[in-house]
Amino acid sequence: MERSQPYSSLSHTARPAPVNKLPIAQARIPETLRRLAYFQAWPDESLERLASGTRILHLPKHSAVARKNERLEALNVVVSGLIRVFIPLPNNMERVVSLVGPGDSLGEACLILKQACPYHAVAGRDSHLLAIDARVFRRELSLDIALTRQTLERVSQRFMETLRDTEICAQRSSVLRVASYLLLHRPTSEDLGFTFRLPARKQDVAAKLGLTQETFSRVLGFLDKQGLIQVSAGLIRIEDADKLARITSMKDCKEAGQ
Amino acid sequence: MERSQPYSSLSHTARPAPVNKLPIAQARIPETLRRLAYFQAWPDESLERLASGTRILHLPKHSAVARKNERLEALNVVVSGLIRVFIPLPNNMERVVSLVGPGDSLGEACLILKQACPYHAVAGRDSHLLAIDARVFRRELSLDIALTRQTLERVSQRFMETLRDTEICAQRSSVLRVASYLLLHRPTSEDLGFTFRLPARKQDVAAKLGLTQETFSRVLGFLDKQGLIQVSAGLIRIEDADKLARITSMKDCKEAGQ
DNA sequence: CGCGACTTTGAAGTAAATCAATGGGCGTGG
DNA sequence: CCACGCCCATTGATTTACTTCAAAGTCGCG
């Protein structure tokens, strides 16, 4: 069911791809690296060495990127698609830790500490990844302080995001959790209204908030009925962020409207 | 109620200290720095420059170290005592994020990203801290790749710990949460039995597990009655870690024993 | 059109939060 | 040395919000 085997590194291999997909050839790795924001700070010589230790992974939906308790052997940078990073729970449920999209990366902390992976990671849809060999990555880091520095910033960023998630999940009411989550995506504190797209299936967003899909659906419905948000498929419109924020401080908001 | 003012940086200020405390004089900062494991990797010249930007904080219990949404102006390294790092919740409850003890530190990620602090931090008991000025810290980082590297490792470590906490709090049963927490402290997978001391008040440990003190108390009592652990004050003895681990995979363990 | 994946809705059960009161340990002071 | 007060932990009774189980409904796609 799960195919984690990447394509052969020989780019001329006549591997039939779905017609509407453009497979990125191995030869185009240097170019792809250079294009990604992730590598903007990296000097050209570094990128060349990096490219030689990099493979393109073309992962169909549901294929595994990393398995819990196993060593990660590469840094993964998402070119396209979506990777769901999660911790498995009893009742075969999941706690989603992060949803990694294009331009984002996966695994720095693991690689640096040479520790086993604390999470599973699977493709949430067909995805392209760059897999940079761990040793090559570590070697480049040791050569250039700017890269170490950038990685430090990146891991710090992930850490801060995780703290924000912790804060959200610590809210004891589901309405509070969802409201906090929505408000987290407010562009600036000046914007009263804004629209944003759920980064994944509602099921996975729910799992990120520590809720079941059912509860998430109900809360979304509730907020909608209250006129605080409008939900259409994966698109959510917040008209008045301050008003939504207000329920954050309310004790009980169950039947306030009716 | 909360005094966050540190002592004057002039060590000769005749500030009366509790008789049973040895105030660490400002003059002894270089020595103290050298002694801490945290600074083992730092070259001597770095430590000297660091020392000049470092203050000793002698914090009475309950005094604030950092406030949520405010800028951190120093890296804090705990010499003695205990700092409780937490996120405030409605119902004036807290979600404890970490309990920082001697040798541990606080704030690297914030300082590096120059972002506002995402948590409160207060002394859980009378504590000594070294407060290293943010600018001095950043400057030393920029000068030496080894320090950047070490900080990267440190932040990565904190990140991994936070993921482990996330995993624990994601467990939907309180018994599972507590059991997971206890088993996290197993020295090696060979050790069947081991003893360990709760790092803080039960109240705070509970808050770290996302539980109320009442629930935590009940679960501890339950596990004790099952003969899986023995609790005496802050000391917990686990006789058979495997047996305790077994309930992790059990569906329902409510009244299994009686 | 019909199938599969995902979501919504409903009804019932349950575990943990909450409220409230008691109990124990420890330091301080009589 | 005992008495008092404070802080922390425990225990019990009640409530409530979330999960769970089950089924129907929507959407996109071959």
Side-chain angles (χ1 to χ4, degrees):
Chain A
M1 174 174 281
E2 290 183 344
R3 296 181 55 254
S4 59
Q5 286 306 326
Y7 287 167
S8 155
S9 63
L10 297 172
S11 62
H12 60 267
T13 300
R15 183 71 163 78
V19 264
N20 55 341
K21 300 284 178 188
L22 289 183
I24 304 175
Q26 190 75 13
R28 297 179 64 197
I29 284 181
E31 173 191 337
T32 308
L33 284 176
R34 226 175 300 273
R35 218 180 48 222
L36 284 168
Y38 191 92
F39 299 101
Q40 289 310 308
W42 296 52
D44 276 1
E45 332 108 53
S46 244
L47 282 186
E48 279 165 32
R49 288 190 295 264
L50 226 50
S52 69
T54 299
R55 292 178 309 161
I56 298 275
L57 267 46
H58 189 177
L59 300 170
K61 193 177 182 181
H62 295 137
S63 54
V65 175
R67 302 196 74 82
K68 189 154 186 275
N69 299 325
E70 287 182 8
R71 278 293 178 72
L72 219 53
E73 80 300 332
L75 171 69
N76 294 291
V77 181
V78 177
V79 177
S80 72
L82 185 76
I83 306 302
R84 188 171 82 248
V85 176
F86 66 96
I87 289 168
L89 298 172
N91 333 19
N92 51 340
M93 303 225 79
E94 302 174 355
R95 171 67 166 72
V96 171
V97 167
S98 68
L99 296 164
V100 183
D104 250 349
S105 62
L106 177 61
E108 284 94 343
C110 275
L111 291 181
I112 281 147
L113 299 174
K114 299 184 181 175
Q115 285 183 7
C117 200
Y119 44 65
H120 286 314
V122 309
R125 53 181 84 135
D126 292 357
S127 303
H128 285 142
L129 267 68
L130 292 175
I132 298 162
D133 180 76
R135 271 161 311 200
V136 176
F137 174 64
R138 287 201 205 95
R139 176 145 36 83
E140 290 309 315
L141 274 196
S142 68
L143 292 177
D144 188 338
I145 190 169
L147 303 187
T148 306
R149 169 77 196 184
Q150 200 211 352
T151 306
L152 173 55
E153 283 171 14
R154 211 160 184 87
V155 175
S156 296
Q157 197 69 53
R158 282 287 306 121
F159 176 59
M160 298 291 263
E161 281 166 24
T162 304
L163 281 185
R164 278 191 286 273
D165 289 348
T166 299
E167 176 165 4
I168 287 176
C169 289
Q171 309 292 334
R172 48 195 29 55
S173 133
S174 57
V175 178
L176 252 49
R177 286 218 271 271
V178 174
S180 307
Y181 175 74
L182 293 178
L183 290 170
L184 208 59
H185 297 80
R186 166 136 80 152
T188 76
S189 49
E190 282 81 46
D191 291 293
L192 272 185
F194 62 96
T195 304
F196 99 109
R197 167 171 296 284
L198 293 175
R201 301 178 306 177
K202 291 205 174 119
Q203 193 175 312
D204 295 327
V205 176
K208 183 144 191 253
L209 304 182
L211 301 171
T212 58
Q213 50 184 347
E214 292 96 330
T215 301
F216 186 51
S217 173
R218 280 185 249 266
V219 171
L220 245 30
F222 169 77
L223 290 175
D224 193 323
K225 203 164 51 185
Q226 299 298 309
L228 292 163
I229 64 176
Q230 288 127 280
V231 184
S232 58
L235 229 57
I236 298 185
R237 171 81 196 157
I238 292 94
E239 282 302 342
D240 188 340
D242 285 345
K243 193 154 63 171
L244 182 58
R246 215 161 296 136
I247 78 155
T248 285
S249 40
M250 288 177 52
K251 293 264 169 195
D252 186 73
C253 40
K254 192 170 45 181
E255 312 287 330
Q258 203 60 301
Chain B
M1 175 173 283
E2 288 184 345
R3 297 179 55 254
S4 61
Q5 285 306 325
Y7 288 166
S8 154
S9 63
L10 299 172
S11 62
H12 60 268
T13 301
R15 184 71 164 76
V19 264
N20 56 339
K21 300 284 176 187
L22 289 182
I24 304 177
Q26 190 75 11
R28 297 178 65 196
I29 284 181
E31 174 191 338
T32 308
L33 284 175
R34 225 174 300 273
R35 220 180 46 221
L36 284 168
Y38 191 92
F39 300 101
Q40 289 310 307
W42 297 52
D44 277 1
E45 334 106 54
S46 244
L47 283 186
E48 280 164 32
R49 289 189 296 266
L50 226 50
S52 68
T54 299
R55 292 178 310 159
I56 297 276
L57 267 47
H58 189 177
L59 301 169
K61 193 176 180 181
H62 294 138
S63 54
V65 176
R67 303 195 75 81
K68 190 156 186 275
N69 298 326
E70 289 182 7
R71 277 293 178 73
L72 218 52
E73 80 300 332
L75 171 69
N76 294 291
V77 182
V78 177
V79 177
S80 72
L82 186 75
I83 306 302
R84 189 171 80 248
V85 177
F86 65 95
I87 290 166
L89 298 172
N91 335 18
N92 51 340
M93 304 224 80
E94 303 175 354
R95 173 67 166 72
V96 171
V97 167
S98 68
L99 296 163
V100 183
D104 250 348
S105 62
L106 176 62
E108 283 94 344
C110 275
L111 291 181
I112 282 148
L113 299 174
K114 300 184 183 176
Q115 286 183 6
C117 200
Y119 44 65
H120 286 314
V122 308
R125 55 182 82 137
D126 292 357
S127 304
H128 284 141
L129 267 68
L130 291 175
I132 298 162
D133 180 76
R135 271 162 309 201
V136 176
F137 174 65
R138 287 201 204 94
R139 177 147 33 84
E140 290 308 314
L141 274 196
S142 69
L143 293 177
D144 188 338
I145 190 169
L147 303 187
T148 305
R149 169 77 197 184
Q150 200 211 351
T151 306
L152 173 55
E153 282 171 14
R154 212 161 184 84
V155 174
S156 298
Q157 196 69 54
R158 282 287 305 123
F159 176 59
M160 298 290 263
E161 281 165 25
T162 303
L163 282 185
R164 276 192 287 273
D165 289 348
T166 299
E167 175 165 5
I168 287 177
C169 289
Q171 308 292 333
R172 47 186 45 42
S173 134
S174 56
V175 177
L176 253 49
R177 286 218 271 269
V178 174
S180 306
Y181 175 73
L182 294 177
L183 290 170
L184 209 58
H185 297 81
R186 168 137 79 152
T188 76
S189 51
E190 281 81 46
D191 291 291
L192 273 185
F194 63 96
T195 304
F196 100 108
R197 167 171 297 284
L198 293 175
R201 299 180 306 178
K202 292 205 173 117
Q203 194 175 313
D204 295 327
V205 176
K208 182 141 191 257
L209 304 182
L211 300 171
T212 59
Q213 49 185 344
E214 292 97 328
T215 302
F216 186 52
S217 173
R218 281 186 247 268
V219 172
L220 246 26
F222 169 76
L223 290 175
D224 193 323
K225 203 163 52 184
Q226 300 296 311
L228 292 163
I229 65 175
Q230 289 128 282
V231 184
S232 57
L235 230 56
I236 298 184
R237 171 82 196 157
I238 291 94
E239 281 302 342
D240 189 338
D242 285 344
K243 194 154 62 172
L244 182 59
R246 215 162 296 135
I247 79 155
T248 285
S249 40
M250 287 176 54
K251 292 267 167 193
D252 187 73
C253 40
K254 191 170 45 181
E255 313 286 329
Q258 203 57 301

